[in-house]
Amino acid sequence: MAGEDRRRGRWKSGAEPGGKSAQASESKDTSGDLPIFRDGMRIGLINIGDELLLGKILNTNARDLAGWIAELGHELAFNLTIGDHADAISHTLRSVVSESGVLPRCGMLILTGGLGPTRDDITREAVAEFLGQPLEFSREAEAWLAERLGVSADKINEGQRQQLHIPGGSIPLRNTAGTACGFRVEKNGINIFAFPGVPYEFRTMFDEHCRPLLLRRDAVLLHKRVVTFGLSESRQRECLKGFVTPEPFRFSSLPSEPGVTISLEAFVDSAEAEAMQTRLDQAWEEMLERFPAECIVERNGASLTETVFRLLKNSNRTVSVAESCTSGALGYLLTEIPGSSSVFRQGFLTYSYEAKNGLLNVPQELLEQHGAVSEPVALAMVRGCLKNSNTDYAVAITGIAGPDGGSEEKPVGLVYIAVASQKSVEVQKFVFRGDRKTNRWQSAYSALNRLRLLILKEL
Amino acid sequence: MAGEDRRRGRWKSGAEPGGKSAQASESKDTSGDLPIFRDGMRIGLINIGDELLLGKILNTNARDLAGWIAELGHELAFNLTIGDHADAISHTLRSVVSESGVLPRCGMLILTGGLGPTRDDITREAVAEFLGQPLEFSREAEAWLAERLGVSADKINEGQRQQLHIPGGSIPLRNTAGTACGFRVEKNGINIFAFPGVPYEFRTMFDEHCRPLLLRRDAVLLHKRVVTFGLSESRQRECLKGFVTPEPFRFSSLPSEPGVTISLEAFVDSAEAEAMQTRLDQAWEEMLERFPAECIVERNGASLTETVFRLLKNSNRTVSVAESCTSGALGYLLTEIPGSSSVFRQGFLTYSYEAKNGLLNVPQELLEQHGAVSEPVALAMVRGCLKNSNTDYAVAITGIAGPDGGSEEKPVGLVYIAVASQKSVEVQKFVFRGDRKTNRWQSAYSALNRLRLLILKEL
């Protein structure tokens, strides 16, 4: 029962520095204790905005918040998107606070969106109506905004001024990333936070006003993660046959173009942390042993891009590229990490026969005899690239990205990737099955991976 | 009241070809009429999956479905994400069908996710429980899957077989993109569809089983859209001062890296379509007149990438690029459109001083005197690129992408973009304020736009 109470998330208010005293009907005290949620808290997210229900934008806030909450050891119980309608908002809030509601009861409710200055921004009005409170102008928020804009309060314009109203009884939350004021209010033991929907403002305000309240002092997150490349999920399942994930850890496998990320993680009691860490370490080693070594990008969990950068930098080596069908995607990836000028020297985008011949000295006869998408041409490209760049390594890609240009003999998705060092040259054939965009990025990541394997071989 | 009935979306069942007769408690007839929703229907979306509530993936299905529904002239009333918990699913369904529920009552409810073969896929069980029906094995779905796999029914394995169960009284929906069977069932006048969460399967099944039912025969979508580049939303607001969007059209403005997309759209009665089209055309022309002509990428609504490709192709011209801080992003964009080999010849990724000097003949003294990120170097790069590529146009980018490498004089985000033809050379200075990734893509798109303006000037 005590656990149940904590799960509902009633906590002592006043954690907000400088928070003004509450006028809401809820009883509050201001003893200043931070909440402790040993078992984690249940949190609900409500996104407000017609643009989401019209499919105009992807809801990255929901994905980001879900990740933060999981990392902090709490539970996102639901994520609801509704339009800019006052009725829908207040109706939903009533459901969440009522014991009989359909939405799971939460200790914390986060609202995003609808705090702007335009007519369709009605979150503050809807929450005020739900609370049975009038909207009030916040002098505190006015002072923050004046400071942010570097003007006196009377220079704040009409639209900005509207964004400084909050429901009576709520506590204004400073926005250091924009002009809309957020607010926080407690109702029936549920802590409601309202933040702007602009992702950068949302992230900044969550970090300032929510994250500190959600740090669990009783439990720690133990986690391990690794990126694999070239290990399909079905092959992974084969490797893991008979492997039992030890309690209380959770196994997850997430595929994407830069590889499949595998993790084991759990929140454990601080008192048990040491024993659990040993259990995790053992299981982790046992698991990694089951995978082919060459498919593990980096045992410490680094991404493919980071790993290649680090391998080159640590060994003081440089690389250059020659790209046909990817036409820049590989050069882009090799310079994603700040400081990559120390390892990436130059690249050739050789989309045409002339360019392959002119910049990489691929013989015209070779192109005519085998076609641009062929093993001999990939090899000639990588040799030309290495020679003309004077780097330690070179990578070349030539392929048919699609959707047109395929034949029975050379289908769409056929790609040759060649890598070379001063000591050796290798080429590999791939057939990707995605659309043009996917085929191009898969080619670029596969080339990065071939480069990684060659560097490792020669270390 | 009649409108209200339609909005609730009761329709005659039997629209599914080959649908087996219903065993649910709901009365049904099978006269085969397709539904007509003159005023549009209210639709609800429920996404099921722990991976969404853990922030592991972005919910692209929700964005996509929202867009399809809007284009079809219906209303997405809410979008709820819940975890893989049978209670949460059946509880939510009960709320939507009950008049007193907190979620808006809908004529159609679409469920995605939880139809796979693993332990946590429990959507079919939860819906069966909600309906008070047992799960039943579908022989029809078994035959479809056997056909898809090209095997006899007895070769279908355990995991696949599990995916062929559907709640009693529901109609199986064929999945031509995967192995999980979908289903459809009517309850209290609400049509519930369950689809897999894999985006490609979801899209395929929506198109086959939902879209035909949602085609409005009474109304047509009238819409216009245009992409602007270099016109900030605040400048856009200035341009549109006093412009009144004519009823019933809806104005929207959506900023992104490839430009700001502006649209006017509305569903109108078929009988009024002609008159409304005239009204739209007039308003559209009036609106476009208010924008600086050079900011309109293409009056027909094409994207910046498409427009540059078409301008080059139609005039039989070619282009080459020299990239420093973007290191491939511009070359990538110039080859996004299939067939771009006819306009894109080659590119130089010149990340180092040596590469700028060696591949583009930028004098060493110039680099030392002004630094790589400077107007003279950008000009020398574009001249070298044009000369060494033998193309009609050349584009060069040099800048500081960040997060390090900035100074007071040359801040992070400082980028010089130069464009050249055989007749003229231009250079422009930009200061972008994003992170490394944003700065690099904004540089690439801005370079595309400078190229567009130069081609137009010389046409």
Side-chain angles (χ1 to χ4, degrees):
Chain A
M1 277 311 285
E4 182 58 20
D5 266 342
R6 277 197 301 270
R7 187 163 278 276
R8 285 194 192 148
R10 176 178 285 277
W11 80 53
K12 297 190 164 120
S13 73
E16 203 59 38
K20 64 178 182 181
S21 72
Q23 295 162 18
S25 56
E26 288 301 298
S27 72
K28 294 201 172 196
D29 70 42
T30 50
S31 58
D33 274 0
L34 280 176
I36 301 179
F37 298 103
R38 187 185 183 84
D39 301 320
M41 182 165 52
R42 211 181 255 166
I43 300 173
L45 169 63
I46 301 179
N47 313 274
I48 298 164
D50 283 346
E51 69 279 15
L52 290 165
L53 290 181
L54 290 168
K56 302 272 186 191
I57 55 171
L58 262 172
N59 192 347
T60 55
N61 283 344
R63 193 263 322 259
D64 293 345
L65 181 74
W68 303 329
I69 288 175
E71 280 163 24
L72 286 162
H74 300 278
E75 178 196 351
L76 182 61
F78 69 87
N79 163 19
L80 176 66
T81 303
I82 52 180
D84 297 307
H85 302 292
D87 280 359
I89 300 169
S90 53
H91 206 65
T92 306
L93 290 174
R94 265 190 290 276
S95 164
V96 177
V97 300
S98 78
E99 292 286 340
S100 63
V102 59
L103 294 171
R105 198 175 146 84
C106 296
M108 184 187 276
L109 195 59
I110 296 176
L111 313 182
T112 72
L115 295 183
T118 63
R119 241 173 299 173
D120 56 353
D121 290 308
I122 42 81
T123 298
R124 64 188 100 248
E125 282 85 352
V127 177
E129 194 214 298
F130 156 70
L131 295 169
Q133 294 280 339
L135 274 183
E136 289 173 4
F137 185 77
S138 168
R139 292 278 159 215
E140 210 169 347
E142 183 188 39
W144 291 332
L145 184 58
E147 190 185 327
R148 182 180 148 80
L149 299 175
V151 298
S152 61
D154 59 312
K155 289 283 185 300
I156 293 175
N157 71 33
E158 193 72 22
Q160 291 164 338
R161 203 157 275 280
Q162 200 182 314
Q163 295 177 294
L164 304 177
H165 286 81
I166 59 173
S170 67
I171 297 164
L173 300 177
R174 187 171 191 163
N175 181 353
T176 57
T179 56
C181 176
F183 60 86
R184 165 182 162 197
V185 67
E186 190 181 328
K187 175 85 175 177
N188 290 2
I190 301 179
N191 286 270
I192 303 172
F193 288 77
F195 294 132
V198 179
Y200 174 56
E201 297 181 34
F202 177 63
R203 169 188 293 266
T204 304
M205 292 189 76
F206 176 85
D207 283 347
E208 281 177 29
H209 303 293
C210 272
R211 190 180 287 277
L213 305 182
L214 292 171
L215 295 177
R216 290 178 63 180
R217 293 187 294 187
D218 58 321
V220 289
L221 176 66
L222 300 185
H223 64 112
K224 291 269 190 188
R225 108 184 181 143
V226 74
V227 179
T228 64
F229 202 94
L231 183 71
S232 71
E233 281 201 294
S234 63
R235 230 177 113 205
Q236 179 204 105
R237 223 173 291 132
E238 283 297 308
C239 295
L240 291 180
K241 222 169 225 172
F243 173 77
V244 181
T245 308
E247 285 290 339
F249 296 97
R250 189 170 57 200
F251 171 90
S252 74
S253 166
L254 192 72
S256 69
E257 275 157 14
V260 178
T261 302
I262 295 171
S263 58
L264 285 184
E265 59 189 1
F267 266 85
V268 303
D269 236 57
S270 302
E272 294 180 306
E274 210 170 321
M276 288 297 168
Q277 183 71 54
T278 308
R279 185 183 293 183
L280 174 60
D281 291 346
Q282 281 170 354
W284 188 251
E285 288 306 313
E286 194 203 318
M287 193 187 80
L288 291 189
E289 286 308 311
R290 290 162 165 263
F291 298 140
E294 75 274 13
C295 294
I296 297 173
V297 166
E298 168 66 87
R299 294 177 80 94
N300 71 8
S303 73
L304 185 53
T305 321
E306 287 160 356
T307 301
V308 169
F309 170 67
R310 200 188 41 72
L311 282 172
L312 288 167
K313 193 171 168 78
N314 289 354
S315 61
N316 237 327
R317 302 289 163 90
T318 55
V319 64
S320 55
V321 301
E323 304 184 54
S324 184
C325 66
T326 49
S327 194
L330 178 60
Y332 177 83
L333 292 179
L334 277 169
T335 51
E336 253 192 334
I337 312 284
S340 43
S341 56
S342 61
V343 304
F344 182 73
R345 191 66 61 78
Q346 64 188 40
F348 304 91
L349 311 185
T350 54
Y351 219 62
S352 60
Y353 272 37
E354 298 93 306
K356 289 182 184 74
N357 179 251
L359 300 177
L360 303 171
N361 313 112
V362 178
Q364 192 67 30
E365 312 84 69
L366 206 67
L367 288 161
E368 277 158 20
Q369 195 183 335
H370 302 278
V373 181
S374 64
E375 200 175 291
V377 167
L379 286 169
M381 282 172 71
V382 83
R383 287 199 179 99
C385 182
L386 193 68
K387 183 153 174 276
N388 298 350
S389 299
N390 194 28
T391 50
D392 301 297
Y393 295 99
V395 188
I397 305 176
T398 179
I400 304 167
D404 313 311
S407 66
E408 194 143 328
E409 196 200 347
K410 295 188 177 184
V412 165
L414 174 68
V415 177
Y416 290 92
I417 296 175
V419 288
S421 68
Q422 300 297 341
K423 289 184 236 168
S424 62
V425 182
E426 294 171 6
V427 63
Q428 194 171 0
K429 174 183 166 179
F430 295 82
V431 182
F432 299 110
R433 297 177 190 285
D435 57 13
R436 181 176 179 84
K437 186 174 177 180
T438 309
N439 289 341
R440 295 175 86 197
W441 285 108
Q442 285 197 334
S443 301
Y445 279 109
S446 298
L448 266 190
N449 190 52
R450 298 309 306 171
L451 174 60
R452 176 182 72 88
L453 294 173
L454 180 62
I455 301 173
L456 284 176
K457 210 171 82 179
E458 300 191 349
L459 268 188
Chain B
M1 276 310 284
E4 182 57 22
D5 265 343
R6 277 196 302 269
R7 187 162 278 276
R8 284 191 192 151
R10 176 178 284 279
W11 79 55
K12 296 188 165 123
S13 74
E16 203 60 37
K20 65 178 181 182
S21 72
Q23 294 163 16
S25 58
E26 289 302 299
S27 72
K28 294 201 174 198
D29 72 40
T30 50
S31 58
D33 274 1
L34 280 175
I36 301 181
F37 297 103
R38 188 187 182 84
D39 301 320
M41 183 165 50
R42 211 182 256 167
I43 300 173
L45 169 63
I46 300 178
N47 313 274
I48 298 163
D50 284 345
E51 68 280 16
L52 290 166
L53 290 183
L54 290 169
K56 302 271 186 190
I57 56 171
L58 261 172
N59 192 346
T60 55
N61 283 345
R63 194 264 319 261
D64 293 346
L65 181 74
W68 303 330
I69 288 175
E71 280 163 26
L72 286 161
H74 299 280
E75 178 197 350
L76 182 61
F78 69 86
N79 163 21
L80 175 67
T81 304
I82 53 181
D84 297 308
H85 303 291
D87 279 0
I89 301 170
S90 53
H91 205 67
T92 306
L93 291 174
R94 265 190 289 278
S95 164
V96 177
V97 301
S98 79
E99 292 286 338
S100 62
V102 59
L103 295 171
R105 200 175 145 84
C106 296
M108 184 186 278
L109 194 60
I110 297 176
L111 313 182
T112 72
L115 294 182
T118 62
R119 241 174 297 174
D120 57 353
D121 290 309
I122 42 81
T123 299
R124 64 188 100 247
E125 283 83 353
V127 176
E129 194 214 300
F130 156 72
L131 294 169
Q133 293 280 338
L135 274 184
E136 289 174 2
F137 185 77
S138 169
R139 292 276 160 218
E140 211 169 347
E142 183 189 38
W144 292 331
L145 184 57
E147 190 185 327
R148 181 181 148 80
L149 299 175
V151 300
S152 61
D154 59 312
K155 289 284 185 300
I156 293 176
N157 71 33
E158 193 72 23
Q160 290 164 338
R161 202 158 277 279
Q162 199 182 314
Q163 296 178 292
L164 305 176
H165 287 80
I166 59 173
S170 66
I171 298 164
L173 300 177
R174 186 170 193 165
N175 180 354
T176 58
T179 56
C181 176
F183 58 86
R184 166 181 159 195
V185 67
E186 189 181 326
K187 176 86 176 177
N188 290 2
I190 301 179
N191 286 269
I192 302 171
F193 288 77
F195 295 131
V198 180
Y200 174 57
E201 297 181 34
F202 176 65
R203 170 188 293 267
T204 304
M205 293 190 76
F206 176 86
D207 284 349
E208 280 177 30
H209 303 293
C210 270
R211 191 181 287 279
L213 305 181
L214 292 172
L215 295 177
R216 291 179 63 181
R217 294 187 294 188
D218 57 320
V220 289
L221 176 66
L222 301 184
H223 63 114
K224 291 270 191 187
R225 98 176 193 150
V226 75
V227 179
T228 63
F229 201 94
L231 184 71
S232 71
E233 282 200 295
S234 62
R235 228 177 114 205
Q236 179 205 104
R237 224 172 292 132
E238 283 296 308
C239 295
L240 292 180
K241 221 167 227 173
F243 173 77
V244 181
T245 309
E247 285 290 337
F249 295 98
R250 188 171 56 201
F251 172 90
S252 74
S253 167
L254 192 71
S256 70
E257 274 157 14
V260 178
T261 302
I262 296 171
S263 59
L264 284 184
E265 60 189 1
F267 267 85
V268 303
D269 237 55
S270 302
E272 294 180 307
E274 211 170 320
M276 288 297 168
Q277 183 70 56
T278 309
R279 185 183 293 183
L280 174 59
D281 292 347
Q282 281 170 353
W284 188 251
E285 289 306 313
E286 195 204 316
M287 194 188 78
L288 291 189
E289 287 307 314
R290 290 163 165 263
F291 298 141
E294 75 274 12
C295 294
I296 297 173
V297 166
E298 169 64 91
R299 293 177 80 94
N300 71 7
S303 73
L304 185 53
T305 321
E306 287 160 355
T307 301
V308 168
F309 170 67
R310 200 188 42 71
L311 282 172
L312 288 167
K313 194 171 167 79
N314 289 355
S315 61
N316 237 326
R317 304 288 163 91
T318 56
V319 66
S320 55
V321 300
E323 304 185 54
S324 183
C325 64
T326 49
S327 193
L330 178 60
Y332 177 85
L333 291 179
L334 277 167
T335 52
E336 254 192 334
I337 312 287
S340 44
S341 55
S342 61
V343 304
F344 182 72
R345 190 68 60 78
Q346 65 188 39
F348 303 91
L349 310 185
T350 54
Y351 218 61
S352 59
Y353 271 39
E354 298 91 307
K356 290 182 184 74
N357 179 251
L359 300 176
L360 303 171
N361 313 113
V362 178
Q364 194 66 31
E365 312 83 67
L366 207 66
L367 287 162
E368 278 159 21
Q369 194 184 335
H370 301 278
V373 182
S374 62
E375 199 176 293
V377 168
L379 286 168
M381 283 172 71
V382 83
R383 288 199 178 99
C385 181
L386 193 68
K387 183 150 173 278
N388 297 351
S389 300
N390 194 26
T391 50
D392 301 297
Y393 294 99
V395 188
I397 305 177
T398 179
I400 303 165
D404 314 310
S407 64
E408 193 142 329
E409 197 199 350
K410 295 187 175 184
V412 165
L414 174 69
V415 177
Y416 290 91
I417 296 175
V419 288
S421 69
Q422 299 297 339
K423 287 186 238 165
S424 61
V425 183
E426 293 171 7
V427 62
Q428 195 172 358
K429 174 183 167 179
F430 295 82
V431 182
F432 299 110
R433 296 177 192 284
D435 57 13
R436 180 175 178 86
K437 186 174 178 182
T438 309
N439 289 340
R440 295 174 86 197
W441 286 108
Q442 285 198 335
S443 300
Y445 280 109
S446 299
L448 266 189
N449 190 51
R450 298 308 306 173
L451 173 60
R452 176 182 72 88
L453 293 173
L454 180 63
I455 302 173
L456 284 176
K457 211 171 83 179
E458 299 191 350
L459 269 187

